[in-house]
Amino acid sequence: MVQERKSAHISFLFKSYDMVHYGHSNQLRQAKAMGDYLIVGVHTDAEISKHKGPPVFTQEERYKMVRAIKWVDEIVEGAPYVTTLETLDKYNCDFCVHGDDITLTVDGKDTYEEVKRAGRYRECKRTQGVSTTDLVGRMLLMTKAHHSNIDNPDYQQHTDNFGKGPKGHSPWTGVSQFLQTSQKIIQFASGKEPQPGDTIIYVAGAFDLFHIGHVDFLEMVYKQAERPYVIVGLHFDQEVNRYKGKNYPIMNIHERTLSVLACRYVSEVVIGAPYAVGKDLLDHFKVDLVCHGKTEVLPDKDGVDPYAEPKKRGVFRAIDSGNNLTTDDIVQRIIENRLQFEARNQKKEAKEMAVIEAMKKREQKQQGEAPAQTAH
């Protein structure tokens, strides 16, 4: 339910929100801090296809993903790709917010040009170390070493093909690596302790490439009690790879932590939770209910059911969210459309590089400097 709007400082943020990741969530967190009420405009599939290329997720999936991020107060479905003053006025917004990257139309124009001229544009910092390009690249490069093997020649060759245009490298579309800090975790965490009368619910898993399937599951878990306090146990990367194989997890433990913390249904995250939900964990967090989805539960290393203890206590509950989407399904979507995504990113980067060159020339002209000549 959307809360009642406050009278001042209503901000609007427009975005495709395809492959929603913690970088997007951090942008929304910053945008919310600039005002009292945050409205997020999400583009349709048709608009994204026209200006950027094919989206990974449908518009309905993207609408629901954005609604699940805890800093969002309201979303506008089918928001226009080009941000105008008319749109801001329609939703009573004081200003719009965007990251410090650049967004261009299909013909290479800045989509925020009008609101910038009117002084109704604010900028937030892009989260270093994550991009949709990087995540898609990890999915396409089927190696278990992608978390630590950034210097691997195969990985470098792949990122050159996927995240670079023919004439240089854009700082906005390129591949980079995320560095976790305690400050970032504090910014994302709720900081709220469970209160008397709360029902403490524990769930565990990989929650890799945090997606709409996870959101639907956590929403259903949240609805299991009148006053839920949901704790998500995240398994370490090595543990996830043990039971999922291939190149999983796509996101490392630090990235998965922020992705889950950004969800409005989650109160706390256990970083590196044990695979088996045992007595010590249940007692430590005073867990009232343990939930698991419909995915297969593999035995622990010793062959024992990891949910044996909560089942013995009578606090285990299987949850059917009605959404069967898995991380595997998302990877398959990417692989099936590999060439389209590679072309999309190269086209996007070529436009960005052209804008950078134009900006450099304009700055040189303003400073009365001639373009730098190549030394001989």
Side-chain angles (χ1 to χ4, degrees):
M1 182 180 291
V2 175
Q3 68 187 56
E4 183 182 350
R5 291 191 189 181
K6 296 183 180 181
S7 58
H9 296 110
I10 300 173
S11 52
F12 205 139
L13 198 150
F14 297 81
K15 199 82 172 173
S16 304
Y17 291 105
D18 195 26
M19 287 283 297
V20 174
H21 52 67
Y22 59 92
H24 295 130
S25 299
N26 192 40
Q27 185 182 55
L28 291 165
R29 180 191 66 79
Q30 293 177 72
K32 179 62 181 283
M34 294 179 186
D36 302 304
Y37 191 93
L38 178 62
I39 304 173
V40 180
V42 185
H43 310 313
T44 62
D45 295 343
E47 279 282 89
I48 296 173
S49 296
K50 176 184 175 183
H51 293 280
K52 296 179 73 173
V56 180
F57 290 93
T58 68
Q59 59 198 42
E60 294 304 323
E61 289 173 327
R62 290 184 289 108
Y63 296 155
K64 193 159 191 177
M65 276 298 297
V66 175
R67 280 195 181 98
I69 296 173
K70 62 187 178 183
W71 296 287
V72 176
D73 295 303
E74 182 180 341
I75 82 158
V76 172
E77 299 180 359
Y81 198 78
V82 176
T83 308
T84 63
L85 294 173
E86 182 184 359
T87 304
L88 293 186
D89 291 340
K90 180 180 178 181
Y91 296 101
N92 300 315
C93 293
D94 299 280
F95 55 86
C96 71
V97 182
H98 193 258
D100 54 4
D101 56 337
I102 194 163
T103 306
L104 305 171
T105 62
V106 68
D107 53 359
K109 292 181 179 176
D110 184 352
T111 57
Y112 292 92
E113 186 177 350
E114 182 179 327
V115 293
K116 284 178 179 177
R117 282 203 309 263
R120 293 173 68 182
Y121 175 84
R122 304 285 186 277
E123 203 165 82
C124 56
K125 291 187 179 295
R126 181 183 176 277
T127 305
Q128 292 298 317
V130 63
S131 67
T132 301
T133 306
D134 180 29
L135 294 177
V136 171
R138 296 185 208 179
M139 286 181 260
L140 293 175
L141 188 75
M142 300 301 280
T143 168
K144 293 183 181 182
H146 63 260
H147 296 309
S148 57
N149 217 10
I150 190 68
D151 294 324
N152 181 291
D154 292 337
Y155 188 83
Q156 289 293 340
Q157 180 61 48
H158 174 78
T159 58
D160 284 351
N161 293 340
F162 192 76
K164 280 192 181 180
K167 296 180 180 178
H169 182 57
S170 166
W172 301 308
T173 299
V175 177
S176 54
Q177 294 296 294
F178 174 67
L179 295 174
Q180 180 70 288
T181 65
S182 57
Q183 181 61 31
K184 189 62 63 189
I185 293 176
I186 290 167
Q187 289 171 343
F188 272 60
S190 70
K192 295 177 181 175
E193 297 281 341
Q195 300 301 310
D198 286 354
T199 300
I200 299 174
I201 308 174
Y202 182 79
V203 300
F207 291 91
D208 194 16
L209 283 179
F210 194 75
H211 54 71
I212 191 63
H214 298 133
V215 167
D216 283 339
F217 167 69
L218 289 169
E219 182 182 17
M220 191 64 71
V221 168
Y222 189 83
K223 291 178 178 177
Q224 298 303 303
E226 192 173 319
R227 290 177 50 186
Y229 186 93
V230 179
I231 301 174
V232 176
L234 290 178
H235 302 140
F236 276 132
D237 299 340
Q238 299 92 327
E239 189 69 63
V240 174
N241 189 256
R242 179 186 70 81
Y243 64 78
K244 292 208 67 171
K246 298 180 185 176
N247 68 328
Y248 294 112
I250 303 295
M251 283 182 159
N252 67 38
I253 184 68
H254 305 300
E255 297 173 304
R256 292 184 286 120
T257 296
L258 295 186
S259 298
V260 174
L261 280 173
C263 181
R264 66 173 67 250
Y265 306 117
V266 176
S267 302
E268 179 65 289
V269 167
V270 179
I271 303 169
Y275 186 68
V277 184
K279 180 180 181 299
D280 290 344
L281 185 145
L282 294 175
D283 292 344
H284 177 80
F285 292 108
K286 299 179 173 59
V287 175
D288 299 300
L289 182 65
V290 176
C291 296
H292 185 79
K294 292 295 183 180
T295 55
E296 181 185 5
V297 179
L298 296 174
D300 202 355
K301 295 172 187 174
D302 56 6
V304 174
D305 178 0
Y307 291 101
E309 182 63 24
K311 286 177 181 177
K312 177 182 167 185
R313 298 188 182 194
V315 297
F316 178 83
R317 189 176 297 174
I319 301 292
D320 185 0
S321 68
N323 188 333
N324 296 319
L325 184 72
T326 65
T327 303
D328 274 323
D329 295 332
I330 295 167
V331 172
Q332 285 307 310
R333 288 187 192 185
I334 295 291
I335 290 172
E336 286 166 12
N337 295 284
R338 173 177 183 152
L339 294 177
Q340 284 181 296
F341 286 115
E342 288 181 347
R344 180 179 92 170
N345 281 278
Q346 288 182 3
K347 179 181 175 184
K348 177 174 179 277
E349 184 153 31
K351 286 197 296 183
E352 289 169 354
M353 290 302 297
V355 170
I356 290 170
E357 286 303 312
M359 288 166 65
K360 283 180 181 176
K361 287 178 181 177
R362 188 164 65 241
E363 284 176 11
Q364 288 172 343
K365 189 176 181 181
Q366 288 172 347
Q367 294 169 1
E369 297 174 2
Q373 300 296 316
T374 305
H376 294 284

